Amino acid sequence: TSAQIGVTGLAVMGRNLARNFARNGYTVAVHNRTSSRTKALVEEFGHEGDFIGTETAEEFVAALERPRRLVIMVKAGEPTDAVIQEFAPLLEPGDMIIDGGNAHFADTRRRERELRERHGIHFVGMGVSGGEEGALHGPSIMPGGPRESYDSLGPMLEKISAKAADGAPCVTHVGPDGAGHFVKMVHNGIEYADMQLIGEAYQLLRDVAGYSPAEIAEIFRTWNTGRLDSYLIEITAEVLSHVDAATGKPFVDVVVDQAEQKGTGRWTVQIALDLGVPVSGIAEAVFARSLSGHAKLREASQGLAGPKAAPLGKEEAAAFADRVEQALYASKIVSYTQGFHEIAAGSEEYGWDIDLGAVSSIWRGGCIIRAAFLDRIRAAYDARADLPSLLSDETFAREIADAQDDWREVLIAATRQGVPTPGFAAALAYYDALRASRLPAALTQGQRDFFGAHTYRRVDREGAFHTLWGGDRSEVSA
Ligand code: NDP
């Protein structure tokens, strides 16, 4: 017998993905650099389906039916290149290498081109979201690469992927070469923003409203029955209601308050800077994690002056909580607006022709940012595929219009009481900047022209102009 798919790299992700394929009736060849992992997988989970355990690269390749479909699930970066270099010479034109790791999309573009040109191999950069549980029970899958690869790979991915509430598989061919990993990257950037906004909501409920973690967990549980219904809100309630067994304190109070990151959020911001897309909410989320980790700097700043938050009375607190829900929802709309702008810009820059509605659709299940909210985004793009921005959608615009008074009040309270809310604030600044009829950018252009003769355009005439600042201040055409 031969295998319809092979997985090499059998740490948590690869192992669970291999089991997912096997549980769905596929024969799966498995391989790992250290072969004890391969043996352990077959011994422990062999009863779940048809596995072909292999030790050498040659055995692994020989076990695959043609055209071969070989999934790589190893550490991103150099290890991925090493594994590609090991297998590519053993493959034939038309075979497929699928990289399910968290690769940078620029690496994926390079690998796709090299493998196509040198070996005639179809290279599919595949974003996978949902962590180890998702890999086993159904992740959200974002494959890029050549369109024809999806014809044979797509149906298999549709089987193992998560299904949205309406039964649709959470996978689609995102676009050529690096499109899949690009979309996965922005997914993670949006995830950072979502988490930061939830964190700010928690801090406000705690410091301004005066609620306990257990009470806040209940508030999140209530929110999770409404428009904020999402995986991240659900697990927030779980984490907040958890009590540390050793001390009897709320779990959240015994965890060191320094957030770590593996890099995809940072990439989202770096690429946005390159593309010239203002993803200020995602950037604030990345910076907030970075700031939290500067222990010495924070220690040295403990004596700085500022207000001490004085908790509200019971009734005021409940009203405030409702306002925080509005602020959180409005800020969330803004971060998704920014994230989708980045995807649209990447698609334009690299000629990917990404369907934004399809992207929101495949994030509805399996991934970390899965949420009822994504149905609304899909509806917005269904109604108008060339929507200039999510904020241009009537429904979202109306919801923000309804939320904005509360959003502003929450930020006023946060500022007055000294609770840092960079995510909420950046989102509101973005919103207000977009709707402003005039921005101080006119002044910026004047300054640039003054010190560097960088010229400016006029509101009333075509062309570029320069003022002779050092002379008689007359205006000349540039
Ligand atoms: P790791 O990222 O910890 O990678 C471990 C695997 O990589 C092992 O199989 C290891 O083999 C192999 N490996 C490392 N270096 C080499 C090398 N030079 N040559 C051959 N094999 C090598 O495993 P995860 O399962 O956590 O993640 C796999 C991929 O999936 C990563 O790219 C990760 O970013 C991505 N991912 C992870 C998610 C998660 O939630 N963990 C979610 C989505 C994607 P050996 O056993 O021999 O050491």
Side-chain angles (χ1 to χ4, degrees):
T1 58
S2 56
Q4 288 133 306
I5 191 124
V7 179
T8 182
L10 301 175
V12 282
M13 288 299 287
R15 185 180 61 189
N16 283 355
L17 209 60
R19 290 172 61 198
N20 190 349
F21 277 116
R23 287 168 164 204
N24 275 287
Y26 296 109
T27 302
V28 188
V30 284
H31 172 269
N32 192 67
R33 176 179 63 179
T34 314
S35 57
S36 54
R37 275 200 207 266
T38 315
K39 288 202 194 81
L41 165 58
V42 176
E43 267 166 33
E44 223 177 309
F45 303 107
H47 62 278
E48 291 183 346
D50 296 327
F51 294 99
I52 303 176
T54 64
E55 280 198 23
T56 66
E58 288 77 9
E59 267 181 65
F60 180 54
V61 168
L64 297 171
E65 74 174 31
R66 292 181 203 172
R68 300 180 179 88
R69 286 178 286 267
L70 191 162
V71 178
I72 302 179
M73 247 359 220
V74 304
K75 266 196 173 47
E78 276 170 31
T80 301
D81 279 315
V83 172
I84 290 173
Q85 255 148 47
E86 184 181 5
F87 285 101
L90 306 177
L91 300 178
E92 293 169 312
D95 286 350
M96 209 180 290
I97 294 182
I98 301 132
D99 174 18
N102 266 334
H104 191 291
F105 79 97
D107 286 335
T108 302
R109 281 167 61 76
R110 167 178 59 78
R111 290 168 184 148
E112 193 276 333
R113 190 180 54 244
E114 285 171 4
L115 286 168
R116 175 163 37 86
E117 289 173 356
R118 291 219 348 248
H119 304 276
I121 291 169
H122 296 295
F123 184 70
V124 175
M126 181 174 84
V128 179
S129 177
E132 52 180 297
E133 280 301 299
L136 182 60
H137 300 291
S140 171
I141 315 179
M142 293 150 259
R147 172 80 231 181
E148 61 263 41
S149 63
Y150 196 79
D151 293 341
S152 79
L153 183 64
M156 300 179 74
L157 297 180
E158 283 166 18
K159 266 213 160 155
I160 68 153
S161 74
K163 310 293 178 287
D166 63 4
C170 294
V171 56
T172 189
H173 179 247
V174 177
D177 58 79
H181 276 136
F182 187 95
V183 164
K184 169 72 201 300
M185 172 188 80
V186 176
H187 163 284
N188 286 26
I190 291 175
E191 173 187 314
Y192 274 53
D194 262 344
M195 291 170 70
Q196 174 64 22
L197 295 174
I198 290 173
E200 292 176 18
Y202 153 75
Q203 199 70 46
L204 287 162
L205 292 172
R206 190 120 192 226
D207 292 349
V208 177
Y211 288 117
S212 70
E215 288 169 327
I216 300 171
E218 282 314 310
I219 292 171
F220 275 103
R221 277 196 187 106
T222 312
W223 289 356
N224 200 39
T225 62
R227 60 190 180 172
L228 284 168
D229 174 2
S230 63
Y231 173 71
L232 279 171
I233 296 279
E234 180 190 326
I235 67 165
T236 300
E238 293 304 313
V239 174
L240 286 175
S241 58
H242 184 55
V243 174
D244 176 52
T247 59
K249 289 183 185 167
F251 167 79
V252 71
D253 287 347
V254 301
V255 176
V256 173
D257 60 345
Q258 297 178 23
E260 297 177 4
Q261 47 182 318
K262 289 209 287 191
T264 40
R266 189 175 65 230
W267 288 349
T268 309
V269 179
Q270 285 171 333
I271 299 306
L273 290 171
D274 292 342
L275 292 169
V277 180
V279 294
S280 47
I282 299 172
E284 287 293 356
V286 176
F287 283 131
R289 287 197 194 187
S290 151
L291 188 150
S292 77
H294 282 279
K296 280 198 189 131
L297 190 57
R298 290 175 60 194
E299 181 65 38
S301 311
Q302 290 302 302
L304 295 178
K308 207 168 159 41
L312 298 169
K314 236 188 166 142
E315 267 171 42
E316 282 171 314
F320 184 73
D322 290 342
R323 291 188 158 161
V324 172
E325 193 269 348
Q326 297 275 13
L328 176 56
Y329 186 69
S331 302
K332 183 180 168 85
I333 293 176
V334 169
S335 36
Y336 281 71
T337 300
Q338 296 180 346
F340 276 86
H341 184 186
E342 181 163 353
I343 295 175
S347 178
E348 178 76 25
E349 171 77 16
Y350 298 106
W352 287 328
D353 199 20
I354 296 176
D355 177 341
L356 300 178
V359 168
S360 59
S361 184
I362 65 171
W363 288 348
R364 292 180 303 157
C367 65
I368 306 298
I369 65 171
R370 62 183 182 263
F373 179 68
L374 289 156
D375 268 327
R376 321 275 298 272
I377 297 184
R378 191 184 58 163
Y381 285 113
D382 278 352
R384 207 181 143 192
D386 67 339
L387 202 63
S389 145
L390 279 181
L391 295 177
S392 324
D393 175 70
E394 260 177 51
T395 311
F396 286 130
R398 186 166 11 89
E399 284 180 319
I400 291 207
D402 292 343
Q404 57 136 353
D405 284 344
D406 288 335
W407 195 9
R408 294 177 198 282
E409 286 302 326
V410 165
L411 277 161
I412 289 166
T415 308
R416 202 170 268 146
Q417 308 238 29
V419 179
T421 45
F424 283 7
L428 182 59
Y430 176 90
Y431 177 74
D432 280 336
L434 280 187
R435 47 179 287 283
S437 62
R438 290 284 293 163
L439 289 172
L443 176 58
T444 307
Q445 283 301 91
Q447 292 163 326
R448 295 181 71 245
D449 189 58
F450 189 102
F451 65 66
H454 292 302
T455 77
Y456 50 87
R457 286 176 293 128
R458 295 184 55 100
V459 296
D460 53 0
R461 265 182 288 146
E462 286 291 308
F465 301 91
H466 169 56
T467 290
L468 302 170
W469 296 102
D472 66 356
R473 303 210 165 176
S474 60
E475 184 173 79
V476 295
S477 268

